[in-house]
Amino acid sequence: MTKKITDFFALEGNYPDLDAEGAVARLSQAIQCRTINYADHSLTDYSTFDALHAHMKASYPHIMRAGVFERLGHHAVLITIPGSDETLRPCLYMSHQDVVPVVEGTEQDWTYPAFSGAVADGFIWGRGTLDIKNQVFGVLEAAEYLLAHGSSFRRTAYLAFGDDEETLNTGALAISDHLKAQGVTLEFVLDEGGGKIESGAAFGAPDLSIAQVDLMEKGYADLELTVRSIGGHSSRPYGGTSLAHLACAIADIVRSPFPVRLNPAMMGAFETLAPYITAEPLRTLTRDVRANADAIAAYCYQSSALFPFVTTTIAPTVIQGSSRACNVMPQDMQAVINFRLADGDTVESVMAHCRAAVQDPTVELRYQQANDPSATARRNGYGYRTVVDSMQRYYPDVVFVPSMTVGATDAHQYEQICDTCLRCSPFMAEPEEAASGVHGTNERILVRAYLQGIRVLIDLMEHANL
């Protein structure tokens, strides 16, 4: 794709009195709050979250007057802006406050310090500018703009910001449980996702620019394999070492791939893209996506870009307990295989698959953690249509494609109260910047991209809430 991300921007003149300088400064200050949340909460400095909450309250006076600010769970935030029409189901705009730490030893690789919030070279720099305080504060900027201009909300809006999306997801669950206990059901949820405009070449549409609206996310599982041994001298390896048993078990699983399927989200992607696909064999196959679903899935499985979308993936990631001496057999050893579960697989079916694959009955299998794939959001209703319409107004030369995320977000925690949980950020980055910056070095967002995302959210709230 030869275009720059800004070449896709439209209507940048809308909301001409938007406080651009102030919005940038407020995000910059938020980046300076080191809201790193660890799975072991004893390691988390919650004073940084307190500072972020104080910054929110001080920066958005109209929201604080019109809405109700609550802290739920540990440090999750729910802001309720009540609407006047109780017959309309509320919508929920969400993101998360926590960020990942900087990899130790890479601090000096940053052009500007990771928690400086530096504004330079046309960017806002620092951890959270893409993942994803930009969306936390973009949502706040949009709601504040509307309220400051005297707008009245007809449909209730919830602004929901979890505190541990990068680890345990308990903050989002606390908010969801709180709303469920009140009998709330939501019209739609908008969470992070996509966040980039890229070529449609992988889908057989090289002349097209696309962005994803993720309808679901894959499941997650860390499977621990354990082999026990008393060890001993390497000259007497009768029956094989624990490392040999473990290696064979890993190989057994890796050599037993999971079924390949085209799930409903990806069917929607190919149905949307079919008029634009020019490359064979997809051009012919997508003339009837449902009839040719198996063939399309098989094609995707052979593509490095598309294979995660059509199968449960298997990634051995950890091995522990090996001997430190070449002539000493290891004793007890463990390995971890990470799975991202495709729609159609479950935690139980993956365990059964692995137990059947491993030929050695002495290998112990257990999950360290695991969850099923999410439900698939509706794309034939008000929520999907309204979100895509707003995105399309500000990025008119982009085709928004129903898709899925192979990672994980907080959005699945809201499925108990919403059938339209959408993952689609209006804050766009160059694909290369997103790939290197999210959880990486020199995370940054273009100032123009941040302001454009705020405009999209104002537009969306105008259409959905006012």
Side-chain angles (χ1 to χ4, degrees):
M1 191 172 70
T2 57
K3 286 185 176 182
K4 294 181 179 179
I5 202 76
T6 50
D7 293 335
F8 294 98
F9 292 5
L11 305 179
E12 287 186 271
N14 282 12
Y15 315 113
D17 58 346
L18 177 66
D19 180 13
E21 184 177 343
V24 169
R26 287 184 283 273
L27 178 58
S28 171
Q29 185 175 339
I31 300 305
Q32 296 169 49
C33 298
R34 297 173 180 252
T35 49
I36 301 169
N37 201 334
Y38 297 93
D40 179 355
H41 285 336
S42 68
L43 302 175
T44 302
D45 178 4
Y46 281 106
S47 69
T48 63
F49 287 85
D50 293 333
L52 187 68
H53 297 175
H55 175 42
M56 291 178 183
K57 291 176 180 178
S59 298
Y60 303 103
H62 291 87
I63 292 176
M64 298 307 145
R65 281 197 293 270
V68 178
F69 183 105
E70 299 174 89
R71 196 172 82 182
L72 301 172
H74 206 301
H75 273 68
V77 167
L78 175 66
I79 300 172
T80 304
I81 303 175
S84 59
D85 190 342
E86 295 184 357
T87 67
L88 296 176
R89 293 196 300 175
C91 55
L92 186 143
Y93 303 92
M94 63 175 292
S95 190
H96 59 89
Q97 309 163 63
D98 58 313
V99 298
V100 297
V102 174
V103 175
E104 189 174 350
T106 68
E107 293 87 353
Q108 301 307 311
D109 296 338
W110 289 69
T111 303
Y112 299 93
F115 293 96
S116 65
V119 181
D121 309 321
F123 291 88
I124 310 163
W125 298 74
R127 183 63 86 221
T129 51
L130 290 177
D131 189 13
I132 194 169
K133 284 180 180 172
N134 57 329
Q135 191 147 319
V136 172
F137 279 78
V139 165
L140 291 167
E141 292 289 340
E144 180 73 8
Y145 179 90
L146 292 171
L147 292 169
H149 285 72
S151 299
S152 297
F153 277 46
R154 185 179 175 209
R155 183 192 303 272
T156 294
Y158 293 113
L159 319 183
F161 310 124
D163 61 322
D164 62 349
E165 189 270 355
E166 300 290 2
T167 53
L168 300 174
N169 302 116
T170 61
L173 181 59
I175 296 171
S176 180
D177 284 346
H178 174 73
L179 295 175
K180 182 181 179 181
Q182 298 178 49
V184 172
T185 58
L186 301 170
E187 187 64 49
F188 68 84
V189 165
L190 181 66
D191 192 13
E192 63 176 314
K196 58 183 181 290
I197 298 169
E198 54 194 340
S199 167
F203 291 90
D207 299 325
L208 197 65
S209 298
I210 65 173
Q212 294 182 190
V213 184
D214 293 329
L215 306 182
M216 66 158 293
E217 58 195 65
K218 297 180 84 172
Y220 182 100
D222 289 324
L223 179 68
E224 182 183 272
L225 293 74
T226 299
V227 177
R228 304 188 188 279
S229 170
I230 61 172
H233 198 286
S234 64
S235 65
R236 302 180 66 86
Y238 180 77
T241 68
S242 55
L243 177 53
H245 285 264
L246 193 60
C248 289
I250 294 170
D252 286 342
I253 292 173
V254 170
R255 292 169 181 163
S256 301
F258 286 82
V260 177
R261 311 181 188 93
L262 199 66
N263 65 35
M266 296 311 295
M267 283 190 185
F270 281 104
E271 287 169 348
T272 300
L273 291 171
Y276 310 98
I277 293 175
T278 57
E280 295 292 357
L282 288 177
R283 180 182 181 184
T284 297
L285 292 174
T286 55
R287 289 173 183 166
D288 190 336
V289 172
R290 295 184 182 275
N292 296 315
D294 289 345
I296 295 170
Y299 173 88
C300 292
Y301 190 69
Q302 301 301 319
S303 162
S304 61
L306 299 179
F307 94 95
F309 296 111
V310 295
T311 192
T312 291
T313 55
I314 308 168
T317 53
V318 176
I319 193 163
Q320 296 175 324
S322 60
S323 175
R324 294 190 177 186
C326 296
N327 61 346
V328 176
M329 291 190 293
Q331 297 186 13
D332 295 352
M333 291 196 66
Q334 294 82 34
V336 176
I337 302 178
N338 177 256
F339 298 85
R340 301 304 173 107
L341 281 63
D343 189 20
D345 286 324
T346 65
V347 169
E348 290 78 12
S349 70
V350 168
M351 179 63 82
H353 180 100
C354 292
R355 288 193 188 282
V358 174
Q359 300 298 303
D360 186 345
T362 68
V363 178
E364 302 169 18
L365 304 179
R366 76 171 187 95
Y367 283 128
Q368 292 182 341
Q369 59 177 324
N371 62 267
D372 289 336
S374 75
T376 300
R378 292 179 59 205
R379 65 181 179 99
N380 60 348
Y382 174 84
Y384 184 86
R385 182 176 65 252
T386 304
V387 167
V388 171
D389 283 351
S390 286
M391 299 286 183
Q392 201 79 70
R393 275 188 282 275
Y394 286 82
Y395 306 108
D397 295 329
V398 176
V399 174
F400 285 84
V401 180
S403 187
M404 57 182 283
T405 176
V406 298
T409 72
D410 270 343
H412 71 277
Q413 301 289 6
Y414 292 92
E415 290 171 2
Q416 61 180 340
I417 56 173
C418 185
D419 63 2
T420 308
C421 295
L422 306 173
R423 301 150 180 90
C424 181
S425 176
F427 301 95
M428 299 296 180
E430 301 285 358
E432 299 79 12
E433 289 174 358
S436 63
V438 175
H439 292 201
T441 298
N442 279 334
E443 183 176 350
R444 63 194 184 273
I445 187 170
L446 194 67
V447 168
R448 280 179 66 186
Y450 181 53
L451 299 176
Q452 186 72 344
I454 293 171
R455 293 185 191 98
V456 174
L457 289 170
I458 296 173
D459 180 276
L460 177 56
M461 289 183 185
E462 280 184 324
H463 286 84
N465 295 98
L466 300 191

